[in-house]
Amino acid sequence: MAKRQLLDIDAASGIVLSGVGALEPEPSALSEAGGKFTAEPAISPVDIPGFDNSIMDGFAVRAADTADASPDRPLGLEIAGESRAGTPFGGGLGSRQAIRISTGAPVPEGADAVLQKEIVTTEGSRLNVSARVEAGHDIRRRGEITTAGREILPAGTALGAVGLGTLASVGIDSISCHRTPCVSLLTSGDELVEPGGTLGPGQIWDSNRFSVSALVDEAGATLVSFGNVKDDRQATVDALERALESDLTVICGGVSVGDHDHVRPALAELGVEQKFWGLALKPGRPTWFGQRGESRVLGLPGNPVSAFVVFRLLAMPLLRMLAGGGPPGERVTAMLAGPVDRLGGRLRAVPCHPARTGDPGELVPMPQLGSHDFLSLVGATHLALIPPGSGRAEKGDVVETLPLGEG
């Protein structure tokens, strides 16, 4: 058998993202739009604020009525009523009158300034003013934040706390968003047992189901199905046939060349075209990617660190683009706080954590026993991407890294 060519990660990423466009738009209620990307610009239907209102608790007045006020000659104004947030004063402001006003309450007609409560005194219905105030003082003007018809969010905005709050603040309760990608997850192998179950001889607990499921959530996608596939050809075909209804099928394990690795033959039987098989990456070499129509399949290695690394490098950018988020741009540079051996012709992904002393941009490479050592990821905040070559990357070398979010 001829030795298969291993793709570098950038070439593989180019294949995975080739021709990928955002999924179709659909109306989303604001209560269900969190994590989605807007398919169109959001336009404010109203002015914000919708009325002139007070910045402070105090008294609404005519600025001209305070022109002669001074500490030596306080000026008296009649307190004629109150304007509260949600309960405006019902009339207009007359000459030499004041209206008690709450923060956010509408400024009464005729008033053009607000006196802060702390700088005036009252005697019954009399307000004593000892300093003049300029027109506009402590008033938020109608439309100073935005006006009706103005764009407030561009298309492609990720709707988190800020985006959702922005839409709610102008009264928008529904917006067109790109459909959330649907993901099916399969883990392959007779040796896998659900956590909490009893291990038989040679068996291990199925950690990939939980770690990859969490990565799907982190990517903002929806996990629509999951399950374990035993090492049986027909069972593998049946499980994959159901999974291919998703935008992305992720299968962990079974993509190598062993006698009991049935994934690749099953995918071929189902008409999934192989795009590549094998990455010049450690961990993650036996990675498979293919496509049938608009349904994509990513075959991850069974070792949990490999599955984690490859998902972050390839699946997360794909899911982001399907969701309407545009091209990924997650990689940043950082300085190594210790040496790392290079790996011949393969890129090496090494978990790191920030140095506790020294330069805040330094990352400390973390020891690993191998791609089966999932505990080696505990506390990691980045993957340092060590280019292939001989020798080692030294302390102080600047390398590309992939932020991991939660450590």
Side-chain angles (χ1 to χ4, degrees):
M1 179 183 296
K3 185 177 180 180
R4 70 181 186 273
Q5 183 178 1
L6 300 180
L7 275 185
D8 70 62
I9 193 66
D10 290 330
S13 180
I15 292 172
V16 170
L17 300 180
S18 176
V20 174
L23 296 172
E24 66 276 9
E26 59 184 13
S28 294
L30 211 58
S31 59
E32 300 174 353
K36 295 183 179 181
F37 290 87
T38 56
E40 62 185 14
I43 308 299
S44 178
V46 294
D47 295 342
I48 298 293
F51 48 85
D52 291 354
N53 66 88
S54 178
I55 294 175
M56 297 285 185
D57 288 341
F59 296 86
V61 298
R62 295 172 185 260
D65 286 344
T66 71
D68 297 328
S70 70
D72 297 331
R73 297 180 60 188
L75 187 148
L77 301 178
E78 176 195 0
I79 301 174
E82 183 178 12
S83 181
R84 297 168 54 191
T87 309
F89 178 67
L93 186 68
S95 177
R96 299 184 69 84
Q97 287 185 329
I99 299 296
R100 193 182 301 273
I101 194 165
S102 305
T103 302
V107 175
E109 183 181 349
D112 60 3
V114 170
L115 288 169
Q116 189 176 346
K117 183 178 180 180
E118 290 82 357
I119 64 173
V120 295
T121 61
T122 60
E123 297 176 19
S125 62
R126 174 187 169 93
L127 176 71
N128 297 314
V129 181
S130 58
R132 65 176 295 172
V133 66
E134 299 295 330
H137 184 71
D138 277 348
I139 293 178
R140 298 186 184 100
R141 293 300 186 188
R142 175 174 181 162
E144 70 177 28
I145 294 176
T146 192
T147 53
R150 178 181 167 193
E151 180 180 312
I152 55 172
L153 292 177
T157 297
L159 292 178
V162 172
L164 292 171
T166 296
L167 296 174
S169 72
V170 299
I172 292 175
D173 65 351
S174 178
I175 189 165
S176 178
C177 295
H178 293 287
R179 179 172 64 79
T180 301
C182 296
V183 179
S184 292
L185 171 63
L186 299 173
T187 56
S188 174
D190 292 341
E191 75 278 14
L192 300 178
V193 175
E194 183 87 3
T198 301
L199 295 181
Q203 291 187 315
I204 59 174
W205 284 296
D206 186 0
S207 63
N208 280 332
R209 172 184 156 184
F210 293 88
S211 61
V212 176
S213 293
L215 289 171
V216 171
D217 289 341
E218 188 179 334
T222 299
L223 187 66
V224 294
S225 66
F226 58 84
N228 172 252
V229 183
K230 299 302 181 184
D231 292 327
D232 175 84
R233 172 66 177 268
Q234 192 56 50
T236 303
V237 170
D238 293 343
L240 284 169
E241 187 169 26
R242 292 188 296 270
L244 284 169
E245 296 177 6
S246 302
D247 301 301
L248 174 64
T249 296
V250 178
I251 183 161
C252 302
V255 295
S256 196
V257 293
D259 292 340
H260 303 290
D261 291 326
H262 301 296
V263 171
R264 290 186 301 106
L267 289 168
E269 182 177 329
L270 292 168
V272 180
E273 180 186 0
Q274 176 178 305
K275 299 295 186 179
F276 66 77
W277 176 35
L279 295 178
L281 173 70
K282 180 181 175 65
R285 178 165 58 182
T287 295
W288 191 96
F289 180 74
Q291 189 168 349
R292 187 181 75 178
E294 295 302 312
S295 180
R296 294 165 173 84
V297 179
L298 181 63
L300 301 177
N303 279 325
V305 178
S306 301
F308 177 88
V309 167
V310 176
F311 190 100
R312 293 208 69 104
L313 286 168
L314 296 182
M316 279 199 160
L318 170 62
L319 292 173
R320 176 183 171 84
M321 289 190 68
L322 288 172
E330 289 188 48
R331 294 191 195 179
V332 297
T333 57
M335 185 184 304
L336 292 176
V340 178
D341 290 334
R342 297 185 188 274
L343 196 67
R346 286 196 283 165
L347 180 76
R348 187 173 182 188
V350 179
C352 299
H353 64 72
R356 290 174 175 80
T357 59
D359 191 301
E362 283 190 329
L363 292 176
V364 179
M366 298 165 64
Q368 283 184 295
L369 297 176
S371 57
H372 62 292
D373 178 16
F374 201 74
L375 272 63
S376 66
L377 294 174
V378 175
T381 59
H382 294 74
L383 290 174
L385 305 178
I386 310 301
S390 58
R392 64 184 190 178
E394 301 291 351
K395 177 180 179 179
D397 284 358
V398 175
V399 297
E400 279 195 325
T401 72
L402 187 71
L404 296 181
E406 281 189 59

